[in-house]
Amino acid sequence: MATYWLPTLPDGAMFGNRTVAGTWTENRGEMSTEVHEEIIEAPPEDVWGFMVDPAALSAWFGADAWLEPEPGGVVRFRFTGGVERRGRVEHVAPFRTLTWRWREHLGAGFGSRIGEPSFVTIDLRRVPGGTRVRITERAAPALAEAGR
Amino acid sequence: MTARDHDAVFQALADPTRRTLLRALSASGPSTLAELSSGVPVSRQAVSKHLSLLQDAGLVVGRGEVRGRRYELTPAPLADALGWMVDVGAGWDDRLARLKRQVEGRRR
């Protein structure tokens, strides 16, 4: 899979009808956005099942995953080594889009560490031959984290 | 730990005799060249060379005078290399590749 470093373009301008798989990073000031794409030879309905079924999600994610696919639903990924990433579902459009906000939690109590929050969006789009899966991760405003 | 250090560790692990020596050191604790040589079907000279390479990789340390020197396992570089292997596969590209394999695999 190729990695691209693209200059900043207006929202939406860079994607167009692009259907090739790849990875790139956009930089807008301090905020960095990672974009990863893959074409999967299956309809979006099939791929969606791998997003919302915790066992299937765990298998491809490489972490013990729990995700409640509804706005405000709990998202939790337990990785090997005691790292956990957790947060809330922000947006769900079945068979199309899933967005959650998460941050890293390492340890508990004194000495625990909490990472910077970010948004993860998984976008499925039907393309000839299957589904284009695009995963975008971008920094989330820390202010809105209060109370989470 | 740098990529170069990982090279040495993985190179050290690539040989079955060296893996046997590591396992013996792990099971029996500090051992002499003679003790280690008795457990593998190669010459003492060859074992000495393997131990030298394991020392270069930081996996083994020799203590004491040349005569009666005892070799000891120092597993920290192994843990670092394991951490590196766990990190590989934790990125989005690796996840997407697994998702593709799993979705498409289920349909066949």
Side-chain angles (χ1 to χ4, degrees), chain A residues 23 36 39 41 46 60 137, chain B residues 92-93 98 100 104 107:
Chain A
T23 297
H36 305 262
I39 304 292
E41 294 172 23
D46 283 13
W60 69 269
E137 182 165 19
Chain B
W92 285 118
D93 286 339
R98 279 196 296 269
K100 180 179 173 68
E104 292 177 357
R107 289 168 57 81

Side-chain angles (χ1 to χ4, degrees), chain B residues 10-90:
Chain B
F10 288 122
Q11 196 195 333
L13 294 177
D15 180 87
T17 302
R18 289 196 289 274
R19 290 199 298 273
T20 302
L21 292 172
L22 287 175
R23 191 159 279 287
L25 288 170
S26 171
S28 312
S31 310
T32 63
L33 176 59
E35 289 165 346
L36 289 167
S37 301
S38 69
V40 287
V42 295
S43 71
R44 192 173 291 202
Q45 247 177 338
V47 171
S48 177
K49 276 188 178 172
H50 284 308
L51 284 170
S52 163
L53 202 142
L54 288 169
Q55 288 187 90
D56 290 345
L59 295 171
V60 165
V61 65
R63 297 187 203 281
E65 298 298 316
V66 175
R67 247 182 105 77
R69 175 173 292 173
R70 300 186 82 79
Y71 295 89
E72 196 175 321
L73 185 67
T74 47
L78 281 179
D80 287 335
L82 182 65
W84 179 86
M85 283 192 281
V86 169
D87 285 343
V88 173

